[in-house]
Amino acid sequence: MMRKSPMLEEAWRYWSSLRSGRNLPRREALDPRAMSLTLGHSMILDRVRPGTVRIRLGGRVMNSLMGMEVRGLPIRAIFDVAQRARAIDLVEQVFEAPATLELDLISRTDSAITHARMLILPLQDASGAVSKALTCIALEAFDPEPPHRFTILRDRLNPLSPTTGAWSQDRLLAQDAAQQPAMEMAEAGTPYTAAPRSRPYLRVVK
């Protein structure tokens, strides 16, 4: 859906190149010199605690869209008020799963419409916890009049595995089964065991 954008493709390639073995990239591994093509379009997200994700660093593009320095803002601030609960739920899953998240976004102002695409890629902090994320935003049409609050048109969440980049189908099925609630009034099944018989049903009569 998203990475048809050359900008997001470049961010994806760089992030993928930093994955060492079975691990996600670490925040300290990011090198601004290697991100020259995407740096102005990038942000670093910091998950302070569950439910609270802030913009740790923001590039010039997001600053222009918001009409202010975005550093320190909660990530929900860039979304329309009616979209914030959905946005936070999706971003939380980037850290929890972990997963990559791709978003198609739109912002309408009185003068024009801004179309944007966003890619959010999880990172490990110094302790190995998944509490950071590299974010890249690409604009298809840009209204220079800030501030912008985005509506999510489409989203794609891709849970990651250490080796293949996506959880195996067996694991997904196991997770789905574990999340299914028990049927109302249902009781745990008890395996049937035949009781021992003291004598057979049939006897041979001579």
Side-chain angles (χ1 to χ4, degrees):
M1 179 176 71
M2 302 299 314
R3 292 192 306 273
K4 294 178 181 178
S5 161
M7 183 70 63
L8 300 189
E9 285 283 3
E10 177 63 24
W12 175 269
R13 281 194 294 267
Y14 178 63
W15 176 84
S16 297
S17 73
L18 297 178
R19 294 189 72 179
S20 63
R22 301 170 60 87
N23 295 322
L24 293 174
R26 290 187 176 268
R27 162 65 182 91
E28 60 266 27
L30 298 182
D31 183 356
R33 295 170 297 181
M35 299 171 62
S36 58
L37 296 177
T38 61
L39 193 61
H41 295 253
S42 298
M43 296 186 294
I44 300 296
L45 303 185
D46 184 10
R47 190 194 195 202
V48 180
R49 56 184 175 272
T52 302
V53 178
R54 294 190 178 277
I55 301 172
R56 182 74 173 179
L57 295 171
R60 57 177 173 79
V61 171
M62 187 53 70
N63 290 339
S64 297
L65 287 170
M66 297 299 291
M68 61 184 296
E69 172 65 54
V70 297
R71 181 173 183 171
L73 286 180
I75 188 64
R76 66 177 181 272
I78 73 171
F79 295 97
D80 185 79
V81 172
Q83 292 270 299
R84 289 179 181 178
R86 177 186 177 191
I88 286 298
D89 179 66
L90 289 168
V91 173
E92 277 290 300
Q93 293 181 67
V94 171
F95 302 102
E96 288 286 346
T100 64
L101 176 61
E102 305 173 22
L103 299 171
D104 273 340
L105 305 172
I106 189 170
S107 172
R108 295 179 175 89
T109 64
D110 292 337
S111 57
I113 294 176
T114 294
H115 289 278
R117 294 176 171 178
M118 181 176 285
L119 179 63
I120 304 179
L121 304 165
L123 301 169
Q124 292 179 327
D125 60 23
S127 70
V130 184
S131 65
K132 314 291 183 185
L134 172 63
T135 302
C136 186
I137 187 167
L139 303 178
E140 291 190 342
F142 177 45
D143 172 16
E145 185 69 27
H148 292 276
R149 298 290 188 272
F150 288 100
T151 295
I152 301 171
L153 297 179
R154 284 176 294 275
D155 64 81
R156 186 168 71 184
L157 196 71
N158 299 301
L160 296 166
S161 74
T163 54
T164 65
W167 292 120
S168 69
Q169 187 65 27
D170 289 344
R171 177 158 186 165
L172 285 173
L173 291 173
Q175 288 176 337
D176 289 344
Q179 293 170 358
Q180 292 297 321
M183 294 180 64
E184 188 174 3
M185 301 297 289
E187 295 180 346
T190 302
Y192 173 76
T193 303
R197 302 187 182 279
S198 58
R199 53 186 179 181
Y201 279 119
L202 302 176
R203 291 181 295 166
V204 177
V205 178
K206 295 183 179 179

